[in-house]
Amino acid sequence: MTNNIVEISRNIINNIENIDELVDSYFDPIKDLTETAGDIFTPIKAIHSLYTLNKKRKFKNFLKFYAESLKNCKFNIIDNADRLKNYLKNEKNFNFLNEVIDNAINSKSIYGANLLGYFAGQILSKEMNISYKELIIIDGIKELNDIELSCFVRIYSVADLSKIVFLEQLTELKAFTFFCELTIERMIQLRLIEKNHHTYSDSDKNSSFISTDIAEDIFYLIKDCNIYNDLLYYKF
């Protein structure tokens, strides 16, 4: 299994334009699965019958952004194959990669699938040590929808994150205040940001928050994979 992940990583970097065909061949019941795709994407096989066109699209985007991430990190699969194999021999790392794939396909936003693909590439190329922080990140990205991701970017593009953020002070967001308040509430639930416990009324509870390294990492990830403008100017 580990060898197959190394092999597909090598293949998709050099053949990004063929990713659509690879995924289509997997989901086409008439065609035989390639051995590589069948072995690597085991989580998909268990619920194959439930996959819609939208989920297939997310899977394609995951692979494309995964490949772009490996390229941007200048990760040479051939030179680093043994290191990558050793990294994936750690069951925790291997299971985490499978969870990232599953979260991407089941994400509430196509942008979430993009982010998780890019994040997976960073994880492998940097051989990141998986901690609770990374688990919160992938779960949070999976659960945020298009509007919430857009509001998140709008807030973080203008807020001073070094102190408690009050929406009422961000005049640039006036037209989006209601949606931004809902987004803050959702992100607190997902443990991406911290609740401001110094509020004095129920009306203020979703109007302020304290940023975290987790949310800021997601914000930088959005910039790294070049979907920042798409989310900043997303229309809803």
Side-chain angles (χ1 to χ4, degrees):
M1 186 88 64
T2 296
N3 290 339
N4 289 328
I5 291 181
V6 174
E7 185 62 27
I8 199 171
S9 298
R10 180 188 297 119
N11 289 338
I12 64 175
I13 287 178
N14 298 322
N15 298 283
I16 295 178
E17 67 279 2
N18 295 325
I19 289 176
D20 285 356
E21 287 75 12
L22 172 64
V23 178
D24 286 339
S25 68
Y26 179 83
F27 282 92
D28 187 344
I30 299 175
K31 298 180 181 179
D32 292 331
L33 290 176
T34 63
E35 181 178 353
T36 301
D39 284 342
I40 290 176
F41 304 114
T42 303
I44 300 174
K45 299 169 76 173
I47 49 176
H48 180 273
S49 62
L50 300 177
Y51 276 70
T52 62
L53 181 63
N54 185 45
K55 290 190 176 183
K56 184 164 71 171
R57 179 182 171 220
K58 290 175 184 175
F59 186 39
K60 289 179 179 180
N61 278 40
F62 170 88
L63 289 177
K64 289 177 181 178
F65 277 80
Y66 170 67
E68 287 295 338
S69 179
L70 291 177
K71 287 181 65 177
N72 292 341
C73 290
K74 303 186 187 308
F75 187 75
N76 189 310
I77 296 293
I78 296 176
D79 293 344
N80 295 286
D82 289 338
R83 281 176 49 203
L84 187 55
K85 289 176 183 177
N86 287 332
Y87 176 78
L88 291 172
K89 283 180 181 178
N90 184 317
E91 186 176 359
K92 180 179 71 172
N93 297 334
F94 183 77
N95 289 340
F96 181 76
L97 179 60
N98 277 336
E99 188 171 349
V100 174
I101 295 172
D102 190 62
N103 279 11
I105 299 173
N106 290 287
S107 60
K108 294 184 177 179
S109 168
I110 190 70
Y111 295 111
N114 299 349
L115 288 168
L116 289 170
Y118 204 89
F119 191 43
Q122 290 184 337
I123 290 168
L124 286 182
S125 61
K126 298 176 182 179
E127 300 175 69
M128 292 173 57
N129 181 38
I130 305 305
S131 67
Y132 192 49
K133 176 182 178 180
E134 284 69 41
L135 293 173
I136 293 175
I137 288 176
I138 66 168
D139 284 342
I141 291 175
K142 172 192 173 185
E143 294 298 330
L144 294 175
N145 60 39
D146 290 345
I147 294 176
E148 290 165 340
L149 283 169
S150 177
C151 287
F152 166 61
V153 170
R154 291 173 192 271
I155 294 169
Y156 269 62
S157 66
V158 296
D160 181 353
L161 303 177
S162 65
K163 55 186 180 181
I164 297 175
V165 178
F166 292 90
L167 283 185
E168 62 183 16
Q169 297 175 2
L170 306 179
T171 56
E172 303 91 336
L173 303 178
K174 189 172 182 179
F176 304 96
T177 299
F178 174 71
F179 297 104
C180 287
E181 287 181 350
L182 294 179
T183 298
I184 288 174
E185 181 180 11
R186 184 69 177 131
M187 292 183 68
I188 290 174
Q189 293 171 351
L190 294 169
R191 296 164 295 178
L192 300 177
I193 58 177
E194 295 180 4
K195 183 177 181 180
N196 174 22
H197 294 283
H198 300 289
T199 55
Y200 298 99
S201 67
D202 288 340
S203 61
D204 293 333
K205 67 180 181 179
N206 295 329
S207 300
S208 61
F209 68 92
I210 301 170
S211 183
T212 66
D213 290 342
I214 293 173
E216 289 166 27
D217 281 354
I218 295 175
F219 184 62
Y220 294 132
L221 183 64
I222 288 171
K223 287 188 171 183
D224 287 344
C225 69
N226 294 320
I227 60 173
Y228 173 81
N229 285 335
D230 291 340
L231 289 171
L232 183 63
Y233 300 110
Y234 181 83
K235 294 183 179 181
F236 54 89

